[in-house]
Amino acid sequence: MVKAETRERVEAAVQALGYTPHFGGRALASNRANTIGAVIPTMENAIFARGLQAMEEELSDHRITLLVATSQYDPEREAKQVRALLARGVDAVALIGQSRPDATYEILRSRGVPFVTLWSRTDDPDTPYVGFDNEAAARAMANLVMDRGHRRIAMIAGVTRDNDRAVARVEGVKAALGARGVDLAPPLLVEAPYELEAATAAARDLLSRSPAPTAIICGNDVLAAGALTGAKQLGLRIPDDVSIVGYDDIDLSFAVDPPLTTVRVPHRRMGRTAAAMLRRMIDGETVESHDFDFELVIRRSLGSIEP
């Protein structure tokens, strides 16, 4: 809205003075902070990094800043982080999953701050989401494992407390196995933090049992990579002696040896879609939730059991 000559003079002054706009002044003038907050469980898991990177790219294209906080899978910590973001005047918030007290949603709604949840689905029409069917994906993976002839099957799940994605994946595996008369219960069903060392220990314990499982279904690729290590420490060959499958298809899944059979989910597309939804919601538009498909990626960590 200014002449090119005037704009060039202003930009030259900006460079010479090292000027940056005053955040508070801009927010007061526009009644908008041009900032979106995101609370994720952890920064140590690559699945969230991919989605957040795509979200940041989409927002940056529209001159919106992304602020990120972590909850460490603790609903109370998540609520504190949401309140901290609101205190900084964010225009909208992105959250991971559905497992949280209603009070967290209520504080967002009472402030009139739009929000979107990612990585899972909900039937609540007042909670827009960008996600996929975790249970169906886990069920499909379990059926694939059984299609290869496996019946002595174990699972290393993520910690299910306050994690609806981990719960859904366990339920999916249980449903698939149960439909074919295969039981999945402790000690063949164990939970572990999303850490290589914890999964290694869990796999060693499972594979030291008699009879040992011929396949281990893991709640994500980090757990599966740890299970590979545990099996190798026992001198087992993958997939000749035991098959191991994962979930998420992060880079680690094809960097390990053998590469992991896993579930591929569209992390980057979910991040970009969530960012676009939040931008529209800030502008007062009504949005619809987005369901994405998953894909089974078959690699060498899954073998067959001959009848």
Side-chain angles (χ1 to χ4, degrees):
M1 298 177 65
V2 298
K3 294 179 181 178
E5 180 183 352
T6 303
R7 182 178 184 84
E8 290 171 3
R9 290 171 58 197
V10 171
E11 290 178 347
V14 166
Q15 293 297 323
L17 296 171
Y19 169 80
T20 58
H22 186 274
F23 175 81
R26 293 184 68 178
L28 284 172
S30 64
N31 197 31
R32 181 175 295 184
N34 286 327
T35 302
I36 286 176
V39 185
I40 63 174
T42 177
M43 293 187 183
E44 294 182 341
N45 196 325
I47 64 169
F48 301 124
R50 280 187 178 182
L52 280 179
Q53 179 64 34
M55 182 181 292
E56 194 280 333
E57 291 167 2
E58 174 72 18
L59 295 175
S60 180
D61 289 343
H62 294 83
R63 299 184 179 182
I64 297 174
T65 300
L66 178 65
L67 294 182
V68 182
T70 62
S71 68
Q72 303 303 320
Y73 293 96
D74 181 344
E76 291 186 7
R77 179 181 170 90
E78 182 190 59
K80 291 178 181 178
Q81 298 288 36
V82 168
R83 287 194 292 269
L85 290 170
L86 293 176
R88 285 163 173 77
V90 296
D91 300 312
V93 174
L95 301 170
I96 304 297
Q98 312 297 332
S99 293
R100 61 184 53 84
D102 290 339
T104 303
Y105 292 124
E106 289 307 315
I107 190 173
L108 290 164
R109 293 184 177 116
S110 66
R111 298 282 188 91
V113 175
F115 65 90
V116 166
T117 63
L118 292 89
W119 263 271
S120 62
R121 304 165 61 191
T122 176
D123 294 327
D124 183 359
D126 296 324
T127 303
Y129 68 83
V130 180
F132 61 98
D133 193 331
N134 281 273
E135 182 176 352
R139 190 164 59 245
M141 176 58 77
N143 278 320
L144 173 64
V145 170
M146 288 188 290
D147 288 344
R148 296 296 181 92
H150 296 277
R151 291 298 181 272
R152 294 202 311 274
I153 298 171
M155 182 175 188
I156 303 175
V159 177
T160 54
R161 180 178 179 181
D162 301 320
N163 187 334
D164 58 290
R165 286 88 60 209
V167 170
R169 295 174 191 186
V170 171
E171 290 177 349
V173 172
K174 280 186 170 181
L177 269 59
R180 299 201 196 184
V182 179
D183 185 40
L184 180 66
L188 292 179
L189 172 60
V190 298
E191 297 186 6
Y194 292 133
E195 300 168 0
L196 289 169
E197 295 83 0
T200 297
R204 286 177 60 94
D205 180 67
L206 287 169
L207 294 169
S208 298
R209 297 182 179 277
S210 181
T214 64
I216 301 177
I217 299 173
C218 297
N220 77 356
D221 290 337
V222 174
L223 295 177
L228 285 177
T229 301
K232 290 178 180 179
Q233 288 177 352
L234 295 175
L236 300 175
R237 300 164 299 164
I238 300 101
D240 296 337
D241 299 317
V242 59
S243 291
I244 296 172
V245 299
Y247 197 117
D248 288 328
D249 197 33
I250 60 175
D251 292 346
L252 181 64
S253 66
F254 52 85
V256 295
D257 182 30
L260 289 170
T261 292
T262 187
V263 176
R264 177 178 294 162
V265 294
H267 308 296
R268 289 187 58 83
R269 283 197 295 153
M270 285 193 294
R272 283 194 172 275
T273 300
M277 287 174 62
L278 289 169
R279 287 193 299 102
R280 292 174 56 197
M281 294 170 76
I282 291 170
D283 290 334
E285 297 182 36
T286 300
V287 299
E288 293 185 357
S289 295
H290 283 258
D291 282 290
F292 284 96
D293 292 329
F294 59 85
E295 177 185 356
L296 296 182
V297 180
I298 301 175
R299 300 193 181 102
R300 290 190 291 111
S301 71
L302 176 61
S304 298
I305 298 293
E306 295 299 329

